[in-house]
Amino acid sequence: TPNQQPAQFQPYHDVSTSRSVSSTSGKSQDQKISRMSAPVSVDDSSFEDPEDHVQGIHALAMEHVARGEYDMALQAFSQVLSVYMEKYGRAHPHTASAYHNLGTVHSKRAGLLLENTAHQRHCREQALLCFQ
């Protein structure tokens, strides 16, 4: 309605749960657990650091490979590579592993394509670049 006032923002709110605990008499009773919680904006770009999530991104990429979703795997492995390049630089085992994973996916993609096509050659070239 037009006359409705916006709800007042409360920076903290009570998050309560109940759990059953045993008392000294052996009877079970409910106990209220209360804690204060502050809202978090997940839209804020500073909220997430890709470095904190690199293992999850890597696991997701591996799932894409297992499902044959090579384009999605390439995107995820590229994110992993980007994080490792920024954190460790080019000459580091983590970075080398990320390049290897990208090369493997490019190679798998090439294996699915028609022999001697431009697209297959491109995928093989990309794989070789990653393996160098």
Side-chain angles (χ1 to χ4, degrees):
T1 61
N3 295 332
Q4 186 178 10
Q5 296 293 322
Q8 183 162 354
F9 174 72
Q10 296 179 350
Y12 293 94
H13 61 280
D14 184 30
V15 179
S16 301
T17 58
S18 295
R19 70 175 180 172
S20 187
V21 294
S22 297
S23 66
T24 54
S25 66
K27 291 184 178 180
S28 179
Q29 61 186 12
D30 286 336
Q31 180 183 44
K32 184 178 178 183
I33 301 168
S34 182
R35 61 184 168 86
M36 298 304 282
S37 174
V40 177
S41 172
V42 294
D43 294 329
D44 183 8
S45 63
S46 66
F47 177 71
E48 289 188 23
D49 182 4
E51 189 178 315
D52 293 338
H53 302 285
V54 72
Q55 295 303 318
I57 296 168
H58 182 270
L60 181 63
M62 294 300 288
E63 285 182 32
H64 287 307
V65 170
R67 293 182 185 144
E69 301 167 345
Y70 299 129
D71 291 335
M72 298 296 290
L74 287 173
Q75 289 177 353
F77 280 134
S78 293
Q79 289 179 331
V80 171
L81 176 62
S82 176
V83 169
Y84 287 159
M85 285 290 285
E86 187 175 317
K87 183 173 183 178
Y88 302 113
R90 188 168 173 85
H92 190 275
H94 290 321
T95 307
S97 178
Y99 272 116
H100 175 81
N101 290 335
L102 280 169
T104 300
V105 174
H106 280 296
S107 182
K108 286 180 178 285
R109 283 181 71 211
L112 295 176
L113 299 171
L114 293 174
E115 290 294 320
N116 298 320
T117 60
H119 193 206
Q120 186 191 47
R121 282 190 299 275
H122 175 75
C123 288
R124 290 183 193 248
E125 288 168 3
Q126 291 299 307
L128 286 173
L129 287 174
C130 291
F131 290 135
Q132 291 179 355

